[in-house]
Amino acid sequence: GGAGGFGRVEGGRATGQNFLVRSAHHFVAQGYNVALLGRPSDTPDLGYPDRVSEAHMADVRAVLAFVKTLSGAPVWLVGTSRGSVSVAAAAIHIPTGVAGVVLASSVVSPQKPEAVPLQDLAAIRVPVLVLHHRQDACHLCAPADVPAILRGLTQAPVKKEMWVDGGGNPTGNPCEALHWHGFVGMEREAVALIAGWLRRPVD
């Protein structure tokens, strides 16, 4: 999410506050291998246009190829906030590279031409989970606009819209990771929902 950074790596763990970064150990506890895709070293930011660019897709392909040398397990892409833009684009442009995708706290605003509902979602032919917090107050991720994602997924074999309303103590910018937008206070529960669906993807 965000500009694509995940903080420093200390003791083998990334220190960033992004929901997926700070929850990586919960995925590991659920039995999953985790690879964090960060911003490439030759750019200061992963803006919206960057995330649907061929250069970005080439980076994602390279990471996927590397990860597959480490494990023969199916690879799922999970993106949150601005990362949902990258994950949707990857599902469209790398059709045979992933088992499925999870779009969490998705960017859905028509103000952003690269927003998830404005991409060619009909080209996605893998299972898709859409996870969103009912109290997400980010103006680019309004809950009312989330159903447009499922409407666009006309060819996905499985598609699930999942809503949560838990957590607590949101702080700071409502578009940042420690607000409802980042599933604050319910990280373990959110990961458990994602992990359970990955094991058995159903509508």
Side-chain angles (χ1 to χ4, degrees), residues 23 135 202:
S23 301
Q135 297 185 64
V202 293

mmCIF file of all heavy atoms in Angstrom, residues 23 135 202:
data_model
loop_
_atom_site.group_PDB
_atom_site.id
_atom_site.type_symbol
_atom_site.label_atom_id
_atom_site.label_comp_id
_atom_site.label_asym_id
_atom_site.label_seq_id
_atom_site.Cartn_x
_atom_site.Cartn_y
_atom_site.Cartn_z
ATOM 1 N N SER A 23 1.116 -7.393 9.808
ATOM 2 C CA SER A 23 0.383 -8.635 10.071
ATOM 3 C C SER A 23 1.038 -9.858 9.449
ATOM 4 O O SER A 23 0.482 -10.951 9.507
ATOM 5 C CB SER A 23 -1.054 -8.510 9.541
ATOM 6 O OG SER A 23 -1.739 -7.437 10.150
ATOM 7 N N GLN A 135 -16.412 0.700 8.325
ATOM 8 C CA GLN A 135 -16.180 2.071 8.785
ATOM 9 C C GLN A 135 -15.008 2.747 8.087
ATOM 10 O O GLN A 135 -14.568 3.821 8.524
ATOM 11 C CB GLN A 135 -15.958 2.066 10.304
ATOM 12 C CG GLN A 135 -17.159 1.572 11.090
ATOM 13 C CD GLN A 135 -16.930 1.698 12.585
ATOM 14 O OE1 GLN A 135 -16.777 2.791 13.120
ATOM 15 N NE2 GLN A 135 -16.890 0.557 13.272
ATOM 16 N N VAL A 202 -14.731 -19.763 -1.687
ATOM 17 C CA VAL A 202 -16.127 -19.950 -2.094
ATOM 18 C C VAL A 202 -16.789 -18.591 -2.224
ATOM 19 O O VAL A 202 -16.366 -17.607 -1.610
ATOM 20 C CB VAL A 202 -16.900 -20.815 -1.062
ATOM 21 C CG1 VAL A 202 -16.377 -22.235 -1.043
ATOM 22 C CG2 VAL A 202 -16.832 -20.199 0.332
#
